[in-house]
Amino acid sequence: MTLLRWPLVLLVTFVFLTGCKQKKKVSLSGEDPVEVSDFISFFATVNLPYSFADSLLQRKEKDSSQISYKVFTQFVPDSMISKVFGKEKKLKIYPVGKAQDSKNGTYLFTKVVSAAKRAAFIIVMDKKNAYMTAMPVLPSDQGKTMQRTTLIDKKFTITQTQVRKNADGSSSEGKDIYVLNPDTREFNLIMTDALDDKVTELINPIDTVARKHKWSADYTAGKMNLVSIRDGRKTDRLSFFIHFEKSNSECTGELKGEAMIKSASLAEYRLGGDPCVLQFRFTASSVTLKEIEGCGAHRELRCSFDGTFVRKKIPKPKAVKPKPPSRK
């Protein structure tokens, strides 16, 4: 019986060693040609939604994970890289991850580094593992005032967001949204929110209305947040205009109307047909807004009018010095 076991042991050992050999990961850092299946397998699967940020470009990668330029350009045209890096070929190329699209193929996320530039790319290989298209994301040559993120969601919609810090301390945000068009084998831009289309100055529609009442003034909480109070049509009313932007301008609200004075420091907006009831509570230096009933028709659902705004001082006009009489 012992003799009969030896062939079985040898067979199991052979199968085990063969399996281990097949599972050995192929190196892509050399110059020898590799199979496209090995190239795609070299990218680890990631879950969607998946986000790229500027920190990805600065992250230190393991040298063992590099893909040589020669191997990479077996499957991806060098013209894709040259759009960002020009004729530079001394590049370090790293796999970041991959996601499988049952309709169109495999999305490969790649990081490329040269001595002067860094960028990430989204590459699409079709169902036959042939190159379809690619797009660069997070180029590193847009200055330190720009922050960028790229999000690819479960529907493989790609959203690129840019936030720029302006010289006056404010920030501007822009978005571009892309989807893959399998017929043209290209990414199509389907929506854009341009970075420079943001309103940077508020126009106050009641600015010229009289401001004799003790609470008539402008109250602010940042450049794009304003509660403007002016005299009402009657002595028991106050005209108002409110504009606010919260959560990096992702949530905004605006309302113009008249509030009834309820007490020495309290006024209230309530209008027939409008479910919104808004309370104004004044002090010598501020006004606090509070929604008593929902004002969702005048704002986005994720925020409210609630908040405290500081009273702005009216700048005193500069005294004009009389000109000295001319000497004849």
Side-chain angles (χ1 to χ4, degrees), residues 256-303:
K256 177 177 173 287
E258 276 194 332
M260 296 292 295
I261 297 174
K262 295 294 185 179
S263 69
S265 61
L266 183 67
E268 188 177 85
Y269 167 76
R270 187 189 295 266
L271 183 66
D274 186 351
C276 174
V277 178
L278 187 63
Q279 189 179 84
F280 301 74
R281 191 171 293 278
F282 296 94
T283 70
S285 59
S286 67
V287 61
T288 298
L289 304 186
K290 183 175 178 60
E291 286 191 28
I292 305 302
E293 299 291 341
C295 300
H298 307 289
R299 56 164 173 76
E300 296 181 54
L301 297 177
R302 295 171 295 169
C303 50

Side-chain angles (χ1 to χ4, degrees), residues 36-283:
V36 66
S37 56
D38 293 328
F39 174 70
I40 294 175
S41 297
F42 201 67
F43 292 75
T45 299
V46 297
N47 295 322
L48 299 182
Y50 186 78
S51 179
F52 304 81
D54 288 332
S55 56
L56 169 68
L57 300 183
Q58 305 304 322
R59 188 178 72 190
K60 189 174 182 180
E61 309 290 347
K62 294 180 180 179
D63 290 338
S64 59
S65 67
Q66 277 194 54
I67 303 174
S68 71
Y69 183 86
K70 187 170 183 178
V71 169
F72 189 76
T73 52
Q74 278 184 240
F75 311 108
V76 179
D78 58 3
S79 58
M80 184 210 77
I81 297 180
S82 65
K83 290 179 181 179
V84 176
F85 294 92
K87 296 181 179 180
E88 176 68 64
K89 293 187 178 181
K90 292 182 179 179
L91 304 170
K92 292 183 178 181
I93 303 170
Y94 301 98
V96 175
K98 69 180 175 186
Q100 190 70 39
D101 180 359
S102 59
K103 294 181 179 180
N104 298 311
T106 307
Y107 285 63
L108 304 179
F109 312 136
T110 309
K111 172 181 172 180
V112 182
V113 178
S114 73
K117 292 183 180 180
R118 295 168 181 257
F121 293 86
I122 296 177
I123 303 164
V124 184
M125 310 293 284
D126 65 19
K127 287 187 173 182
K128 295 181 180 180
N129 288 343
Y131 173 82
M132 181 186 293
T133 189
M135 65 180 294
V137 296
L138 307 179
S140 63
D141 55 356
Q142 294 188 9
K144 294 181 180 180
T145 60
M146 192 78 73
Q147 294 179 340
R148 295 141 302 177
T149 58
T150 298
L151 177 72
I152 180 166
D153 65 19
K154 292 182 179 181
K155 294 183 179 181
F156 292 88
T157 301
I158 299 169
T159 302
Q160 291 188 300
T161 303
Q162 296 180 323
V163 178
R164 184 185 62 209
K165 293 181 180 179
N166 299 319
D168 61 0
S170 65
S171 61
S172 301
E173 182 178 286
K175 288 185 179 181
D176 293 321
I177 300 178
Y178 297 85
V179 295
L180 178 67
N181 185 337
D183 296 327
T184 61
R185 298 173 71 88
E186 293 179 345
F187 285 108
N188 287 352
L189 178 66
I190 60 170
M191 193 180 82
T192 186
D193 187 2
L195 189 67
D196 291 318
D197 283 351
K198 304 296 180 183
V199 176
T200 57
E201 294 292 342
L202 272 176
I203 298 175
N204 183 354
I206 64 171
D207 192 35
T208 58
V209 177
R211 50 196 302 174
K212 295 178 181 179
H213 194 279
K214 65 181 296 186
W215 302 132
S216 292
D218 288 338
Y219 302 79
T220 61
K223 188 174 183 180
M224 301 300 289
N225 297 279
L226 171 69
V227 176
S228 182
I229 304 293
R230 296 292 187 268
D231 298 354
R233 292 175 297 169
K234 297 181 180 181
T235 56
D236 62 345
R237 301 179 189 182
L238 293 172
S239 297
F240 69 86
F241 169 71
I242 304 168
H243 178 93
F244 71 82
E245 298 186 9
K246 299 180 180 180
S247 302
N248 197 26
S249 301
E250 291 184 0
C251 202
T252 62
E254 193 169 279
L255 178 60
K256 177 177 173 287
E258 276 194 332
M260 296 292 295
I261 297 174
K262 295 294 185 179
S263 69
S265 61
L266 183 67
E268 188 177 85
Y269 167 76
R270 187 189 295 266
L271 183 66
D274 186 351
C276 174
V277 178
L278 187 63
Q279 189 179 84
F280 301 74
R281 191 171 293 278
F282 296 94
T283 70

